[in-house]
PDB file of all heavy atoms in Angstrom:
ATOM      1  N   GLU T   1     109.103  74.293  49.989  1.00  0.00           N
ATOM      2  CA  GLU T   1     110.470  73.931  49.619  1.00  0.00           C
ATOM      3  C   GLU T   1     110.652  73.943  48.112  1.00  0.00           C
ATOM      4  O   GLU T   1     111.701  74.356  47.600  1.00  0.00           O
ATOM      5  CB  GLU T   1     110.813  72.564  50.194  1.00  0.00           C
ATOM      6  CG  GLU T   1     112.295  72.259  50.181  1.00  0.00           C
ATOM      7  CD  GLU T   1     112.644  71.077  51.050  1.00  0.00           C
ATOM      8  OE1 GLU T   1     112.100  69.976  50.799  1.00  0.00           O
ATOM      9  OE2 GLU T   1     113.444  71.238  51.981  1.00  0.00           O
ATOM     10  N   ASP T   2     109.637  73.494  47.394  1.00  0.00           N
ATOM     11  CA  ASP T   2     109.700  73.505  45.927  1.00  0.00           C
ATOM     12  C   ASP T   2     109.600  74.925  45.395  1.00  0.00           C
ATOM     13  O   ASP T   2     110.335  75.320  44.486  1.00  0.00           O
ATOM     14  CB  ASP T   2     108.578  72.633  45.364  1.00  0.00           C
ATOM     15  CG  ASP T   2     108.625  72.546  43.847  1.00  0.00           C
ATOM     16  OD1 ASP T   2     109.645  72.054  43.312  1.00  0.00           O
ATOM     17  OD2 ASP T   2     107.653  72.973  43.185  1.00  0.00           O
ATOM     18  N   MET T   3     108.712  75.725  45.974  1.00  0.00           N
ATOM     19  CA  MET T   3     108.474  77.080  45.491  1.00  0.00           C
ATOM     20  C   MET T   3     109.697  77.975  45.638  1.00  0.00           C
ATOM     21  O   MET T   3     110.012  78.778  44.755  1.00  0.00           O
ATOM     22  CB  MET T   3     107.298  77.696  46.244  1.00  0.00           C
ATOM     23  CG  MET T   3     106.942  79.104  45.816  1.00  0.00           C
ATOM     24  SD  MET T   3     105.625  79.810  46.846  1.00  0.00           S
ATOM     25  CE  MET T   3     106.498  80.080  48.408  1.00  0.00           C
ATOM     26  N   VAL T   4     110.396  77.870  46.757  1.00  0.00           N
ATOM     27  CA  VAL T   4     111.498  78.800  47.026  1.00  0.00           C
ATOM     28  C   VAL T   4     112.682  78.608  46.089  1.00  0.00           C
ATOM     29  O   VAL T   4     113.570  79.472  46.027  1.00  0.00           O
ATOM     30  CB  VAL T   4     111.973  78.698  48.492  1.00  0.00           C
ATOM     31  CG1 VAL T   4     110.845  79.047  49.442  1.00  0.00           C
ATOM     32  CG2 VAL T   4     112.552  77.321  48.800  1.00  0.00           C
ATOM     33  N   GLN T   5     112.704  77.495  45.337  1.00  0.00           N
ATOM     34  CA  GLN T   5     113.785  77.302  44.372  1.00  0.00           C
ATOM     35  C   GLN T   5     113.779  78.386  43.302  1.00  0.00           C
ATOM     36  O   GLN T   5     114.787  78.620  42.629  1.00  0.00           O
ATOM     37  CB  GLN T   5     113.657  75.919  43.704  1.00  0.00           C
ATOM     38  CG  GLN T   5     113.670  74.742  44.666  1.00  0.00           C
ATOM     39  CD  GLN T   5     114.931  74.656  45.502  1.00  0.00           C
ATOM     40  OE1 GLN T   5     116.028  74.902  45.008  1.00  0.00           O
ATOM     41  NE2 GLN T   5     114.769  74.327  46.773  1.00  0.00           N
ATOM     42  N   ASP T   6     112.636  79.062  43.151  1.00  0.00           N
ATOM     43  CA  ASP T   6     112.504  80.103  42.126  1.00  0.00           C
ATOM     44  C   ASP T   6     113.081  81.445  42.562  1.00  0.00           C
ATOM     45  O   ASP T   6     113.141  82.381  41.762  1.00  0.00           O
ATOM     46  CB  ASP T   6     111.031  80.303  41.753  1.00  0.00           C
ATOM     47  CG  ASP T   6     110.390  79.057  41.165  1.00  0.00           C
ATOM     48  OD1 ASP T   6     111.137  78.239  40.589  1.00  0.00           O
ATOM     49  OD2 ASP T   6     109.159  78.905  41.278  1.00  0.00           O
ATOM     50  N   PHE T   7     113.492  81.561  43.830  1.00  0.00           N
ATOM     51  CA  PHE T   7     113.893  82.863  44.357  1.00  0.00           C
ATOM     52  C   PHE T   7     115.368  82.899  44.735  1.00  0.00           C
ATOM     53  O   PHE T   7     115.857  82.006  45.436  1.00  0.00           O
ATOM     54  CB  PHE T   7     113.043  83.218  45.588  1.00  0.00           C
ATOM     55  CG  PHE T   7     111.575  83.380  45.283  1.00  0.00           C
ATOM     56  CD1 PHE T   7     110.706  82.307  45.421  1.00  0.00           C
ATOM     57  CD2 PHE T   7     111.086  84.601  44.841  1.00  0.00           C
ATOM     58  CE1 PHE T   7     109.369  82.445  45.124  1.00  0.00           C
ATOM     59  CE2 PHE T   7     109.741  84.750  44.544  1.00  0.00           C
ATOM     60  CZ  PHE T   7     108.872  83.679  44.682  1.00  0.00           C
ATOM     61  N   ASP T   8     116.050  83.928  44.272  1.00  0.00           N
ATOM     62  CA  ASP T   8     117.466  84.124  44.581  1.00  0.00           C
ATOM     63  C   ASP T   8     117.579  85.073  45.768  1.00  0.00           C
ATOM     64  O   ASP T   8     117.974  86.232  45.646  1.00  0.00           O
ATOM     65  CB  ASP T   8     118.197  84.691  43.361  1.00  0.00           C
ATOM     66  CG  ASP T   8     119.697  84.790  43.584  1.00  0.00           C
ATOM     67  OD1 ASP T   8     120.202  84.088  44.481  1.00  0.00           O
ATOM     68  OD2 ASP T   8     120.351  85.575  42.868  1.00  0.00           O
ATOM     69  N   LEU T   9     117.181  84.579  46.932  1.00  0.00           N
ATOM     70  CA  LEU T   9     117.192  85.370  48.161  1.00  0.00           C
ATOM     71  C   LEU T   9     118.001  84.640  49.227  1.00  0.00           C
ATOM     72  O   LEU T   9     117.943  83.420  49.317  1.00  0.00           O
ATOM     73  CB  LEU T   9     115.762  85.585  48.674  1.00  0.00           C
ATOM     74  CG  LEU T   9     114.790  86.345  47.759  1.00  0.00           C
ATOM     75  CD1 LEU T   9     113.373  86.254  48.317  1.00  0.00           C
ATOM     76  CD2 LEU T   9     115.219  87.797  47.614  1.00  0.00           C
ATOM     77  N   ASP T  10     118.712  85.381  50.029  1.00  0.00           N
ATOM     78  CA  ASP T  10     119.482  84.793  51.121  1.00  0.00           C
ATOM     79  C   ASP T  10     118.711  84.999  52.420  1.00  0.00           C
ATOM     80  O   ASP T  10     119.043  85.850  53.245  1.00  0.00           O
ATOM     81  CB  ASP T  10     120.862  85.446  51.198  1.00  0.00           C
ATOM     82  CG  ASP T  10     121.764  84.763  52.212  1.00  0.00           C
ATOM     83  OD1 ASP T  10     121.393  83.679  52.702  1.00  0.00           O
ATOM     84  OD2 ASP T  10     122.828  85.323  52.526  1.00  0.00           O
ATOM     85  N   ILE T  11     117.629  84.233  52.588  1.00  0.00           N
ATOM     86  CA  ILE T  11     116.774  84.380  53.755  1.00  0.00           C
ATOM     87  C   ILE T  11     116.347  83.010  54.276  1.00  0.00           C
ATOM     88  O   ILE T  11     116.492  81.999  53.584  1.00  0.00           O
ATOM     89  CB  ILE T  11     115.515  85.219  53.459  1.00  0.00           C
ATOM     90  CG1 ILE T  11     114.654  84.537  52.383  1.00  0.00           C
ATOM     91  CG2 ILE T  11     115.884  86.624  53.040  1.00  0.00           C
ATOM     92  CD1 ILE T  11     113.322  85.228  52.162  1.00  0.00           C
ATOM     93  N   LYS T  12     115.798  82.997  55.493  1.00  0.00           N
ATOM     94  CA  LYS T  12     115.283  81.771  56.087  1.00  0.00           C
ATOM     95  C   LYS T  12     113.764  81.858  56.175  1.00  0.00           C
ATOM     96  O   LYS T  12     113.219  82.844  56.667  1.00  0.00           O
ATOM     97  CB  LYS T  12     115.883  81.545  57.472  1.00  0.00           C
ATOM     98  CG  LYS T  12     115.403  80.262  58.158  1.00  0.00           C
ATOM     99  CD  LYS T  12     115.947  80.127  59.572  1.00  0.00           C
ATOM    100  CE  LYS T  12     117.426  79.826  59.558  1.00  0.00           C
ATOM    101  NZ  LYS T  12     117.946  79.559  60.944  1.00  0.00           N
ATOM    102  N   VAL T  13     113.097  80.812  55.705  1.00  0.00           N
ATOM    103  CA  VAL T  13     111.640  80.741  55.720  1.00  0.00           C
ATOM    104  C   VAL T  13     111.213  79.613  56.653  1.00  0.00           C
ATOM    105  O   VAL T  13     111.718  78.490  56.558  1.00  0.00           O
ATOM    106  CB  VAL T  13     111.079  80.482  54.305  1.00  0.00           C
ATOM    107  CG1 VAL T  13     109.565  80.269  54.352  1.00  0.00           C
ATOM    108  CG2 VAL T  13     111.423  81.635  53.373  1.00  0.00           C
ATOM    109  N   ALA T  14     110.288  79.896  57.543  1.00  0.00           N
ATOM    110  CA  ALA T  14     109.784  78.896  58.487  1.00  0.00           C
ATOM    111  C   ALA T  14     108.370  78.471  58.098  1.00  0.00           C
ATOM    112  O   ALA T  14     107.551  79.299  57.697  1.00  0.00           O
ATOM    113  CB  ALA T  14     109.784  79.451  59.905  1.00  0.00           C
ATOM    114  N   VAL T  15     108.105  77.176  58.216  1.00  0.00           N
ATOM    115  CA  VAL T  15     106.771  76.633  57.972  1.00  0.00           C
ATOM    116  C   VAL T  15     106.371  75.869  59.232  1.00  0.00           C
ATOM    117  O   VAL T  15     106.947  74.829  59.538  1.00  0.00           O
ATOM    118  CB  VAL T  15     106.735  75.697  56.751  1.00  0.00           C
ATOM    119  CG1 VAL T  15     105.310  75.244  56.459  1.00  0.00           C
ATOM    120  CG2 VAL T  15     107.330  76.384  55.524  1.00  0.00           C
ATOM    121  N   MET T  16     105.390  76.410  59.958  1.00  0.00           N
ATOM    122  CA  MET T  16     105.020  75.853  61.254  1.00  0.00           C
ATOM    123  C   MET T  16     103.599  75.288  61.225  1.00  0.00           C
ATOM    124  O   MET T  16     102.749  75.762  60.480  1.00  0.00           O
ATOM    125  CB  MET T  16     105.151  76.920  62.343  1.00  0.00           C
ATOM    126  CG  MET T  16     106.571  77.436  62.506  1.00  0.00           C
ATOM    127  SD  MET T  16     107.719  76.119  63.008  1.00  0.00           S
ATOM    128  CE  MET T  16     109.293  76.826  62.537  1.00  0.00           C
ATOM    129  N   GLY T  17     103.375  74.319  62.081  1.00  0.00           N
ATOM    130  CA  GLY T  17     102.121  73.581  62.027  1.00  0.00           C
ATOM    131  C   GLY T  17     100.989  74.121  62.845  1.00  0.00           C
ATOM    132  O   GLY T  17      99.845  73.705  62.678  1.00  0.00           O
ATOM    133  N   CYS T  18     101.258  75.051  63.776  1.00  0.00           N
ATOM    134  CA  CYS T  18     100.161  75.585  64.587  1.00  0.00           C
ATOM    135  C   CYS T  18     100.444  77.031  64.938  1.00  0.00           C
ATOM    136  O   CYS T  18     101.586  77.476  64.972  1.00  0.00           O
ATOM    137  CB  CYS T  18      99.932  74.752  65.845  1.00  0.00           C
ATOM    138  SG  CYS T  18     101.176  74.978  67.133  1.00  0.00           S
ATOM    139  N   ALA T  19      99.357  77.744  65.232  1.00  0.00           N
ATOM    140  CA  ALA T  19      99.483  79.171  65.554  1.00  0.00           C
ATOM    141  C   ALA T  19      99.887  79.395  67.005  1.00  0.00           C
ATOM    142  O   ALA T  19     100.185  80.513  67.406  1.00  0.00           O
ATOM    143  CB  ALA T  19      98.162  79.874  65.270  1.00  0.00           C
ATOM    144  N   VAL T  20      99.909  78.343  67.817  1.00  0.00           N
ATOM    145  CA  VAL T  20     100.264  78.480  69.223  1.00  0.00           C
ATOM    146  C   VAL T  20     101.764  78.734  69.380  1.00  0.00           C
ATOM    147  O   VAL T  20     102.192  79.713  69.987  1.00  0.00           O
ATOM    148  CB  VAL T  20      99.849  77.219  70.015  1.00  0.00           C
ATOM    149  CG1 VAL T  20     100.334  77.322  71.451  1.00  0.00           C
ATOM    150  CG2 VAL T  20      98.341  77.042  69.966  1.00  0.00           C
ATOM    151  N   ASN T  21     102.571  77.822  68.818  1.00  0.00           N
ATOM    152  CA  ASN T  21     104.021  77.944  68.955  1.00  0.00           C
ATOM    153  C   ASN T  21     104.700  78.536  67.728  1.00  0.00           C
ATOM    154  O   ASN T  21     105.890  78.820  67.756  1.00  0.00           O
ATOM    155  CB  ASN T  21     104.646  76.563  69.230  1.00  0.00           C
ATOM    156  CG  ASN T  21     104.289  76.051  70.614  1.00  0.00           C
ATOM    157  OD1 ASN T  21     103.990  76.831  71.497  1.00  0.00           O
ATOM    158  ND2 ASN T  21     104.303  74.744  70.791  1.00  0.00           N
ATOM    159  N   GLY T  22     103.927  78.712  66.657  1.00  0.00           N
ATOM    160  CA  GLY T  22     104.512  79.189  65.404  1.00  0.00           C
ATOM    161  C   GLY T  22     105.355  80.433  65.519  1.00  0.00           C
ATOM    162  O   GLY T  22     106.526  80.453  65.122  1.00  0.00           O
ATOM    163  N   PRO T  23     104.804  81.536  66.098  1.00  0.00           N
ATOM    164  CA  PRO T  23     105.591  82.772  66.174  1.00  0.00           C
ATOM    165  C   PRO T  23     106.901  82.601  66.934  1.00  0.00           C
ATOM    166  O   PRO T  23     107.933  83.114  66.524  1.00  0.00           O
ATOM    167  CB  PRO T  23     104.635  83.727  66.902  1.00  0.00           C
ATOM    168  CG  PRO T  23     103.273  83.205  66.589  1.00  0.00           C
ATOM    169  CD  PRO T  23     103.421  81.712  66.562  1.00  0.00           C
ATOM    170  N   GLY T  24     106.855  81.878  68.035  1.00  0.00           N
ATOM    171  CA  GLY T  24     108.078  81.695  68.810  1.00  0.00           C
ATOM    172  C   GLY T  24     109.099  80.856  68.082  1.00  0.00           C
ATOM    173  O   GLY T  24     110.283  81.181  68.034  1.00  0.00           O
ATOM    174  N   GLU T  25     108.652  79.750  67.489  1.00  0.00           N
ATOM    175  CA  GLU T  25     109.555  78.848  66.790  1.00  0.00           C
ATOM    176  C   GLU T  25     110.119  79.481  65.525  1.00  0.00           C
ATOM    177  O   GLU T  25     111.193  79.118  65.060  1.00  0.00           O
ATOM    178  CB  GLU T  25     108.825  77.545  66.452  1.00  0.00           C
ATOM    179  CG  GLU T  25     108.458  76.729  67.698  1.00  0.00           C
ATOM    180  CD  GLU T  25     107.616  75.511  67.364  1.00  0.00           C
ATOM    181  OE1 GLU T  25     107.159  75.415  66.213  1.00  0.00           O
ATOM    182  OE2 GLU T  25     107.404  74.673  68.250  1.00  0.00           O
ATOM    183  N   ALA T  26     109.365  80.429  64.957  1.00  0.00           N
ATOM    184  CA  ALA T  26     109.799  81.058  63.704  1.00  0.00           C
ATOM    185  C   ALA T  26     110.570  82.352  63.944  1.00  0.00           C
ATOM    186  O   ALA T  26     110.908  83.046  62.993  1.00  0.00           O
ATOM    187  CB  ALA T  26     108.584  81.336  62.819  1.00  0.00           C
ATOM    188  N   ARG T  27     110.853  82.662  65.221  1.00  0.00           N
ATOM    189  CA  ARG T  27     111.449  83.966  65.540  1.00  0.00           C
ATOM    190  C   ARG T  27     112.790  84.189  64.847  1.00  0.00           C
ATOM    191  O   ARG T  27     113.124  85.315  64.479  1.00  0.00           O
ATOM    192  CB  ARG T  27     111.613  84.095  67.062  1.00  0.00           C
ATOM    193  CG  ARG T  27     112.118  85.484  67.487  1.00  0.00           C
ATOM    194  CD  ARG T  27     111.937  85.724  68.978  1.00  0.00           C
ATOM    195  NE  ARG T  27     110.527  85.986  69.275  1.00  0.00           N
ATOM    196  CZ  ARG T  27     109.770  85.235  70.075  1.00  0.00           C
ATOM    197  NH1 ARG T  27     110.290  84.157  70.641  1.00  0.00           N
ATOM    198  NH2 ARG T  27     108.514  85.545  70.305  1.00  0.00           N
ATOM    199  N   GLU T  28     113.562  83.116  64.663  1.00  0.00           N
ATOM    200  CA  GLU T  28     114.877  83.280  64.049  1.00  0.00           C
ATOM    201  C   GLU T  28     114.818  83.310  62.531  1.00  0.00           C
ATOM    202  O   GLU T  28     115.820  83.568  61.865  1.00  0.00           O
ATOM    203  CB  GLU T  28     115.807  82.151  64.504  1.00  0.00           C
ATOM    204  CG  GLU T  28     116.127  82.193  65.993  1.00  0.00           C
ATOM    205  CD  GLU T  28     117.102  81.115  66.404  1.00  0.00           C
ATOM    206  OE1 GLU T  28     117.565  80.371  65.514  1.00  0.00           O
ATOM    207  OE2 GLU T  28     117.412  81.025  67.598  1.00  0.00           O
ATOM    208  N   ALA T  29     113.632  83.045  61.978  1.00  0.00           N
ATOM    209  CA  ALA T  29     113.468  83.083  60.524  1.00  0.00           C
ATOM    210  C   ALA T  29     113.146  84.506  60.087  1.00  0.00           C
ATOM    211  O   ALA T  29     112.633  85.324  60.856  1.00  0.00           O
ATOM    212  CB  ALA T  29     112.370  82.130  60.092  1.00  0.00           C
ATOM    213  N   ASP T  30     113.434  84.810  58.822  1.00  0.00           N
ATOM    214  CA  ASP T  30     113.100  86.132  58.284  1.00  0.00           C
ATOM    215  C   ASP T  30     111.597  86.258  58.058  1.00  0.00           C
ATOM    216  O   ASP T  30     111.019  87.324  58.242  1.00  0.00           O
ATOM    217  CB  ASP T  30     113.853  86.360  56.968  1.00  0.00           C
ATOM    218  CG  ASP T  30     115.355  86.373  57.179  1.00  0.00           C
ATOM    219  OD1 ASP T  30     115.863  87.378  57.696  1.00  0.00           O
ATOM    220  OD2 ASP T  30     116.014  85.370  56.857  1.00  0.00           O
ATOM    221  N   ILE T  31     110.993  85.151  57.640  1.00  0.00           N
ATOM    222  CA  ILE T  31     109.567  85.150  57.372  1.00  0.00           C
ATOM    223  C   ILE T  31     109.049  83.726  57.575  1.00  0.00           C
ATOM    224  O   ILE T  31     109.803  82.760  57.429  1.00  0.00           O
ATOM    225  CB  ILE T  31     109.259  85.644  55.932  1.00  0.00           C
ATOM    226  CG1 ILE T  31     107.758  85.848  55.735  1.00  0.00           C
ATOM    227  CG2 ILE T  31     109.851  84.696  54.884  1.00  0.00           C
ATOM    228  CD1 ILE T  31     107.431  86.589  54.430  1.00  0.00           C
ATOM    229  N   GLY T  32     107.778  83.601  57.933  1.00  0.00           N
ATOM    230  CA  GLY T  32     107.252  82.266  58.144  1.00  0.00           C
ATOM    231  C   GLY T  32     105.739  82.243  58.066  1.00  0.00           C
ATOM    232  O   GLY T  32     105.082  83.290  58.113  1.00  0.00           O
ATOM    233  N   ILE T  33     105.201  81.045  57.934  1.00  0.00           N
ATOM    234  CA  ILE T  33     103.760  80.852  57.981  1.00  0.00           C
ATOM    235  C   ILE T  33     103.473  79.760  58.996  1.00  0.00           C
ATOM    236  O   ILE T  33     104.267  78.837  59.177  1.00  0.00           O
ATOM    237  CB  ILE T  33     103.165  80.480  56.606  1.00  0.00           C
ATOM    238  CG1 ILE T  33     103.922  79.297  55.983  1.00  0.00           C
ATOM    239  CG2 ILE T  33     103.160  81.676  55.670  1.00  0.00           C
ATOM    240  CD1 ILE T  33     103.348  78.822  54.650  1.00  0.00           C
ATOM    241  N   ALA T  34     102.335  79.892  59.675  1.00  0.00           N
ATOM    242  CA  ALA T  34     101.935  78.897  60.658  1.00  0.00           C
ATOM    243  C   ALA T  34     100.453  78.622  60.491  1.00  0.00           C
ATOM    244  O   ALA T  34      99.664  79.549  60.286  1.00  0.00           O
ATOM    245  CB  ALA T  34     102.227  79.389  62.075  1.00  0.00           C
ATOM    246  N   GLY T  35     100.084  77.370  60.558  1.00  0.00           N
ATOM    247  CA  GLY T  35      98.701  76.983  60.327  1.00  0.00           C
ATOM    248  C   GLY T  35      97.891  76.910  61.592  1.00  0.00           C
ATOM    249  O   GLY T  35      98.407  76.610  62.672  1.00  0.00           O
TER     250      GLY T  35
END
């Protein structure tokens, strides 16, 4: 959340807590990371 303040982009970023549901939950985001 702090890092993205540096970028002038109109996109949605997802940050997910597990690799099991991450891809599905992040499907509506443009880009995401899951742990």
Side-chain angles (χ1 to χ4, degrees):
E1 195 166 59
D2 183 61
M3 181 185 71
V4 299
Q5 302 301 320
D6 298 334
F7 296 93
D8 185 20
L9 299 170
D10 187 10
I11 62 173
K12 181 184 289 186
V13 174
V15 185
M16 298 298 160
C18 74
V20 175
N21 290 336
E25 293 174 350
R27 185 165 285 119
E28 294 183 3
D30 297 285
I31 189 169
I33 52 177

